[in-house]
Amino acid sequence: MDENDRLKLVVRYLSGECSEEEKETIFQSIQTDPQFYRLLKALQAKEKIVFTEDIGPAWQRLKRGLEKVAAENKTRSAGISFWSFLRPWHAVPVRRTLQFASIFLVLAVAAWSFKLLYHRLIAPQADYQVVTVENGQRTHLNLSDGTHIVLDAGSTLRYPLRFYNSREVFLQGEAYFEVTHNQHKPFCVHANHATIRVLGTRFNIRAWKENPAVAVTVTEGRVALSSLDESAQKTVVIPKGYFSSLTEEGPPTTPVPVDVESNLRWRYNEIRFKDASVEEVMAQLQRWYDYQFDVDDLSVLKQRMTVHIQMTNIDDVLELMSILTDTKITKDGKTIKIRAKE
């Protein structure tokens, strides 16, 4: 995607005209490119000044206008350049000329703002490190500010080698954070479609792809949970001993008291699922044991279950899964086959 396409996508997002596919592109860019996230936030702050007209219709009207001018002057070139638009300017009615000029001005100002904000706010930022935990493993990290993080198997964390003007990290998966207090520089975790902000506290974030909700459990202090989508306009503060979650549709759920230790047992090779889909449970087993699952009846994945799993012998876990799902489960090398009972 070149700079012009990226600009138009950002403008459509800010004006609320993105398709679901385009929103997914935005969210993926935010997860993989912290610089893009900072640029998006900067543009959101200046949206009312820069984008005075809807970019889609403006762009299309400008294109049609250029094509009409070219046709009137029998232009035979394959494409229409900016200079070919200027050469026949005298032949265009004044009102139409002003319309094209105003549209072009909107696009030009938007492009100028995009480049200016990029160079002023993005270029000077710190280098980022990416850590991905292999299946069957677990990793402990200490950041430059003293914050300690435990990453579960299959998780990915993107973080700066050093913090400068802000403390921001990007998570996909599950992690437990012990954040060093700094009242002048809040710590911010971006996890899928959610943003979690703290000054200094301890909390757990679960943000897996197979689960539409980002879940936050607080063990010490308080945490603010909000949607990445600024239009949601709602933030909940989660106190110690409470839990809240956020789907893409939002808003965050009202915090409720929870058994904190039960939610954090994954750090000690245990995990409890309450009314979870079989797909979610299998994804966790795949990360923990590094097996691939082969399911012939996909309806099995939609079944719900409540189960307590300890990371022990995989055969014991599969036997329990077989009973709960009423299926036949066998191992073939590193593949686990799940078949309907005959």
Side-chain angles (χ1 to χ4, degrees):
M1 182 183 298
D2 61 26
E3 186 174 292
N4 287 335
D5 290 337
R6 193 181 222 195
L7 170 63
K8 288 188 283 183
L9 178 59
V10 167
V11 175
R12 284 198 295 274
Y13 175 76
L14 293 176
S15 61
E17 297 181 354
C18 265
S19 65
E20 290 303 315
E21 183 178 351
E22 289 172 329
K23 284 184 179 180
E24 182 62 27
T25 299
I26 289 284
F27 291 148
Q28 289 179 355
S29 297
I30 288 170
Q31 288 295 317
T32 58
D33 187 354
Q35 295 181 346
F36 178 79
Y37 172 76
R38 295 182 64 82
L39 176 62
L40 183 62
K41 299 293 285 186
L43 286 174
Q44 283 176 326
K46 295 181 176 294
E47 177 183 2
K48 293 182 180 179
I49 298 175
V50 175
F51 305 110
T52 57
E53 182 170 350
D54 178 24
I55 197 75
W59 184 269
Q60 292 302 320
R61 288 199 298 275
L62 176 60
K63 182 179 179 182
R64 288 196 299 269
L66 292 173
E67 291 173 346
K68 187 171 183 179
V69 169
E72 290 173 354
N73 288 272
K74 298 181 180 180
T75 302
R76 298 181 179 276
S77 59
I80 303 172
S81 69
F82 175 70
W83 297 111
S84 67
F85 175 45
L86 289 181
R87 280 197 293 271
W89 190 267
H90 62 276
V92 185
V94 174
R95 179 177 297 179
R96 187 146 52 107
T97 299
L98 292 176
Q99 289 175 343
F100 294 159
S102 64
I103 295 169
F104 184 81
L105 180 60
V106 169
L107 296 172
V109 171
W112 174 82
S113 299
F114 183 92
K115 293 179 180 179
L116 179 63
L117 289 169
Y118 180 89
H119 289 295
R120 286 187 178 180
L121 300 178
I122 305 306
Q125 299 308 310
D127 293 331
Y128 275 73
Q129 179 78 22
V130 178
V131 172
T132 298
V133 185
E134 297 293 332
N135 288 341
Q137 304 295 319
R138 188 167 295 138
T139 295
H140 291 251
L141 292 174
N142 290 308
L143 305 188
S144 61
D145 67 338
T147 292
H148 180 71
I149 303 173
V150 184
L151 279 174
D152 197 11
S155 300
T156 297
L157 184 75
R158 186 181 180 93
Y159 65 95
L161 296 178
R162 290 189 61 187
F163 292 114
Y164 291 97
N165 297 325
S166 63
R167 295 192 295 169
E168 297 183 71
V169 300
F170 297 77
L171 171 70
Q172 186 172 86
E174 184 157 9
Y176 180 72
F177 292 81
E178 297 179 354
V179 177
T180 300
H181 182 80
N182 186 334
Q183 63 178 354
H184 303 296
K185 194 180 295 183
F187 192 92
C188 189
V189 184
H190 305 289
N192 295 347
H193 50 274
T195 297
I196 299 92
R197 294 182 178 87
V198 300
L199 294 177
T201 185
R202 300 183 182 190
F203 57 97
N204 191 83
I205 300 175
R206 181 172 295 169
W208 297 111
K209 285 185 176 180
E210 67 274 4
N211 192 323
V214 173
V216 180
T217 302
V218 179
T219 63
E220 184 178 298
R222 298 193 305 169
V223 164
L225 173 63
S226 61
S227 173
L228 176 66
D229 185 358
E230 294 291 328
S231 64
Q233 295 295 318
K234 183 174 181 181
T235 298
V236 298
V237 176
I238 312 170
K240 175 181 177 180
Y242 279 69
F243 164 93
S244 177
S245 63
L246 173 68
T247 63
E248 286 191 28
E249 292 75 23
T253 61
T254 300
V256 295
V258 69
D259 182 352
V260 172
E261 284 305 313
S262 176
N263 277 21
L264 304 183
R265 293 304 297 177
W266 64 267
R267 297 180 298 159
Y268 308 105
N269 301 324
E270 296 180 36
I271 192 166
R272 296 178 185 272
F273 291 97
K274 183 176 181 180
D275 192 34
S277 68
V278 171
E279 181 179 16
E280 185 179 350
V281 176
M282 284 173 45
Q284 184 66 47
L285 295 178
Q286 180 175 322
R287 289 187 288 265
W288 272 9
Y289 293 98
D290 197 21
Y291 279 86
Q292 298 296 318
F293 284 83
D294 179 13
V295 184
D296 65 343
D297 183 1
L298 297 183
S299 66
V300 173
L301 300 178
K302 305 303 180 184
Q303 293 183 30
R304 314 295 295 185
M305 64 170 59
T306 297
V307 62
H308 175 206
I309 296 176
Q310 293 181 307
M311 192 176 179
T312 56
N313 189 297
I314 182 65
D315 294 323
D316 295 337
V317 176
L318 295 181
E319 183 179 356
L320 176 61
M321 289 284 293
S322 177
I323 295 172
L324 293 175
T325 59
D326 193 27
T327 57
K328 180 181 179 181
I329 301 180
T330 59
K331 285 195 304 181
D332 183 7
K334 294 296 289 184
T335 299
I336 295 174
K337 296 181 178 181
I338 301 180
R339 300 290 183 262
K341 287 185 176 179
E342 298 179 357

